[in-house]
């Protein structure tokens, strides 16, 4: 598998939120923390730092917006819970 590389850009789907409220996506089995990203968005993510088990990046561009309202209590939330 191709490892994530610093300064590269990847299209990533945001799957959840980290402890500081940043978006979390997955790339090659690693968690990628993306500041300011919303769950459900497909973002072009510019990796700023790549560690052994996680990477950190920023949104270059939102390729596809989040599919629905992100407010709690909407049916599209799918019963996701915090702290997983």
């Amino acid at each position: 598998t191709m490892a994530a590389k610093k300064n590269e850009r990847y299209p990533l789907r945001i799957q959840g939120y980290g402890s500081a409220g940043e978006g979390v996506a997955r790339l090659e089995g690693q968690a990628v923390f993306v500041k300011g990203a919303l769950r459900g968005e497909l973002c072009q993510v510019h990796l700023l730092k790549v560690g052994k088990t996680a990477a950190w990046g920023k949104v270059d561009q939102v390729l596809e917006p989040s599919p629905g309202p992100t407010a709690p209590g909407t049916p599209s939330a799918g019963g996701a819970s915090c702290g997983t």
Side-chain angles (χ1 to χ4, degrees):
T1 57
M2 189 188 68
K5 285 209 213 39
K6 185 178 169 183
N7 290 324
E8 289 288 321
R9 290 166 174 78
Y10 299 90
L12 300 178
R13 175 82 59 186
I14 308 302
Q15 296 172 347
Y17 294 108
S19 55
E22 70 279 53
V24 179
R26 295 202 81 76
L27 176 64
E28 302 299 332
Q30 283 192 322
V32 181
F33 297 99
V34 187
K35 195 172 174 171
L38 299 176
R39 181 165 56 211
E41 285 181 339
L42 182 64
C43 299
Q44 187 78 2
V45 176
H46 179 180
L47 295 186
L48 303 173
K49 182 180 169 198
V50 177
K52 284 189 178 13
T53 57
W56 292 263
K58 66 182 173 75
V59 177
D60 255 7
Q61 191 184 351
V62 175
L63 303 174
E64 205 181 282
S66 181
T70 51
T74 54
S76 64
S81 62
C82 292
T84 50

